[in-house]
Amino acid sequence: HQEPCLWLLWSKLPARKTLSEKEMNRMLLTNHCFDDPALLRREMKERKMVTRTLDGREYRRVERKPPPVALALIRFLGTEQS
């Protein structure tokens, strides 16, 4: 269940925009309830959903199509952004 949830968070990131670590944390904290944005950032980076600079100061959503189950969840919840 973890991967579709990460894709849902991915869908809330703005496309083609660089986010600071602070902005990324704010978005993650707004959209989950276990208070660990660092874990989510790492997971999204390892799954190639986002890129980040070597110093970890900037993040950017990787534009790719989510897997079918995640896409269905994103569409069901009506949160897809472009």
Side-chain angles (χ1 to χ4, degrees):
H1 302 291
Q2 185 180 30
E3 187 171 359
C5 293
L6 288 171
W7 279 108
L8 182 61
L9 291 171
W10 170 91
S11 76
K12 294 176 178 285
L13 295 172
R16 297 171 294 281
K17 182 179 180 205
T18 301
L19 299 173
S20 69
E21 182 179 9
K22 186 176 182 178
E23 291 170 316
M24 182 76 163
N25 286 342
R26 189 176 322 121
M27 187 285 301
L28 293 170
L29 287 168
T30 300
N31 291 289
H32 77 86
C33 53
F34 60 89
D35 200 30
D36 194 351
L39 172 71
L40 295 171
R41 287 192 325 264
R42 276 192 303 273
E43 282 296 317
M44 293 176 83
K45 167 82 170 69
E46 287 190 19
R47 293 172 190 255
K48 298 179 177 30
M49 296 173 171
V50 298
T51 59
R52 74 171 180 203
T53 56
L54 289 176
D55 62 10
R57 290 184 185 193
E58 296 180 339
Y59 290 80
R60 192 172 181 98
R61 181 173 110 167
V62 174
E63 296 307 314
R64 54 188 258 223
K65 187 173 182 178
V69 170
L71 195 55
L73 179 63
I74 292 165
R75 287 181 177 150
F76 178 75
L77 294 175
T79 58
E80 188 171 20
Q81 294 182 0
S82 56

